[in-house]
Amino acid sequence: KIYRASTTAPVNIAVVKYWGKRDVQLNTPTNDSVSVTLSQDDLRTLTTASCSASYPAGDSLVLNGESFDVSGARTQACFRELRARRAAVEAADPSLPKLSTLPLKIVSENNFPTAAGLASSAAGFAALVRAIADLYELPDSPSELSIVARQGSGSACRSLFGGYVAWRAGTKEDGSDSMADLVAPASHWPDMRALILVASAAKKGVSSTSGMQKTVATSGLFKGRLTDVVPRNMALIEEAIKNRDFAQFAEVTMRDSNSFHACCADTYPPIFYMNDTSRAAVRAVESINEQAGKTIAAYTFDAGPNCVVYYLQEHESTILGAFAGVLGGVTGWTANGVGAKPAVQL
Ligand code: DP6
């Protein structure tokens, strides 16, 4: 007999950035963060988890058709935690099949290029955790599962929810309070859009995992980000989301991206994620806002040169029109709505 569950999981793009680890093993962050979950029409990971006594010994994972090494600490942490939770369920009800002892087979596919720097680890680990939790029929809430996903990739903990999501850094040493929660569902502010401008499909120069550790170790500016910038931005962004105040949402988003990239430049040796095309996108957003006479667009950049522009649906033609001519270096783009949480596939 083969037991099986499938799910899709969305990409999320942070507006207050996670950058810095408090504990590298537990993958707890130095600061809170907030993201917007994108719709799964264009960008999503589809993952099937199965287990069976008939499988060869050992867990396996196939990602986009290629076999992926599961011996890494992060994948192992996810498997171990989910198995332990299943084992607890089995101990409470001995009539249940002992799935926790069977080899796992995971098959995962992105409907977008993994290397394009489009937050693939977030959707990937969120889908992996959600699929195994469904296979094991775990009673855990998305917040409880976010503790597991966090150990796969920090940003993944926010992809277990739809809409507007916060990851609370937590203070406990074992990481048990470092989890995601819902700020507001997608339906609260459904006309939010995210335009992704692909400035380079090349793989990242410095991975976020190693980049953020170098920033923590060497940047003086980063200390002020933790004590001053992020606490202020967290309060302002949650308020902006609650009040559906786009101008405030946009200013915090742009300021936080700038603060993050300033800390990268202040890292020694410095890390540069944005390129000439990224900077042209910043100027394009500034000129869109100037011409509109108010803030209708906000840029943000993760650990790569691709620009994400947040705007409201009513301004879509203005935004797309403005970007059509300006950006020579853009190799592709996709406009996305704010989306839903991981969804079971039958
Ligand atoms: C700039 O989640 O990729 O996108 O926990 O080491 O896997 P690991 O890092 P990752 O870092 C994401 C950094 C960011 C900001 C964000 O998504 O909040």
Side-chain angles (χ1 to χ4, degrees):
K1 182 171 169 62
I2 296 176
Y3 301 88
R4 203 188 302 272
S6 293
T7 189
T8 58
V11 163
N12 72 76
I13 303 291
V15 288
V16 174
K17 304 292 187 192
Y18 150 51
W19 194 253
K21 296 175 194 294
R22 186 171 86 236
D23 182 312
V24 174
Q25 257 65 52
L26 293 169
N27 210 31
T28 49
T30 48
N31 57 270
D32 296 348
S33 56
V34 169
S35 60
V36 179
T37 301
L38 304 190
S39 63
Q40 296 178 50
D41 310 337
D42 281 358
L43 307 170
R44 54 107 187 111
T45 302
L46 168 62
T47 296
T48 299
S50 63
C51 62
S52 174
S54 67
Y55 287 168
D59 302 326
S60 71
L61 169 55
V62 173
L63 178 58
N64 293 326
E66 283 175 35
S67 110
F68 184 93
D69 181 12
V70 295
S71 68
R74 288 159 171 239
T75 313
Q76 285 298 316
C78 292
F79 286 175
R80 188 175 59 241
E81 288 253 342
L82 292 161
R83 277 208 167 91
R85 290 173 193 219
R86 170 68 191 185
V89 171
E90 289 165 0
D93 182 352
S95 73
L96 292 172
K98 303 276 178 287
L99 303 189
S100 62
T101 61
L102 302 178
L104 279 165
K105 191 187 277 186
I106 316 293
V107 178
S108 192
E109 217 152 278
N110 297 329
N111 63 346
F112 56 94
T114 306
L118 296 178
S120 59
S121 73
F125 275 105
L128 177 127
V129 169
R130 183 73 264 176
I132 299 175
D134 290 347
L135 171 71
Y136 287 169
E137 298 183 329
L138 298 182
D140 305 57
S141 67
S143 276
E144 287 164 332
L145 291 178
S146 77
I147 294 177
V148 184
R150 182 197 84 226
Q151 297 173 59
S153 180
S155 52
C157 77
R158 298 183 309 236
S159 270
L160 287 167
F161 293 87
Y164 303 82
V165 185
W167 174 13
R168 314 289 174 190
T171 52
K172 290 190 183 158
E173 239 169 72
D174 65 357
S176 59
D177 61 348
S178 183
M179 58 171 99
D181 65 42
L182 190 66
V183 175
S187 59
H188 167 75
W189 202 3
D191 40 346
M192 184 66 76
R193 294 289 177 274
L195 172 68
I196 301 179
L197 300 162
V198 181
S200 164
K203 232 181 143 53
K204 297 179 208 180
V206 180
S207 76
S208 36
T209 301
S210 77
M212 64 176 77
Q213 293 183 62
K214 288 178 179 141
T215 301
V216 172
T218 65
S219 168
L221 200 56
F222 182 68
K223 296 182 177 69
R225 174 166 168 79
L226 292 189
T227 56
D228 186 33
V229 177
V230 170
R232 187 172 60 240
N233 286 350
M234 282 298 297
L236 288 170
I237 204 85
E238 292 197 61
E239 183 183 77
I241 292 166
K242 293 222 159 87
N243 298 332
R244 292 189 279 269
D245 180 340
F246 187 82
Q248 181 169 327
F249 173 89
E251 183 171 338
V252 176
T253 297
M254 292 186 279
R255 281 180 179 275
D256 198 80
S257 176
N258 295 345
S259 156
F260 154 47
H261 289 280
C263 289
C264 289
D266 187 50
T267 301
Y268 190 79
I271 304 169
F272 303 114
Y273 288 120
M274 293 168 66
N275 63 17
D276 286 350
T277 305
S278 316
R279 285 183 284 274
V282 170
R283 285 191 291 272
V285 166
E286 281 170 353
S287 103
I288 287 167
N289 290 336
E290 254 164 52
Q291 274 173 33
K294 58 175 183 171
T295 308
I296 62 168
Y299 56 78
T300 186
F301 299 84
D302 283 338
N306 299 334
C307 183
V308 177
V309 181
Y310 283 112
Y311 59 93
L312 297 177
Q313 176 64 48
E314 59 188 295
H315 299 299
E316 180 142 282
S317 57
T318 310
I319 306 290
L320 296 187
F323 274 104
V326 215
L327 295 171
V330 172
T331 57
W333 60 273
T334 142
N336 300 270
V338 44
K341 65 179 189 222
V344 180
Q345 302 293 303
L346 296 172

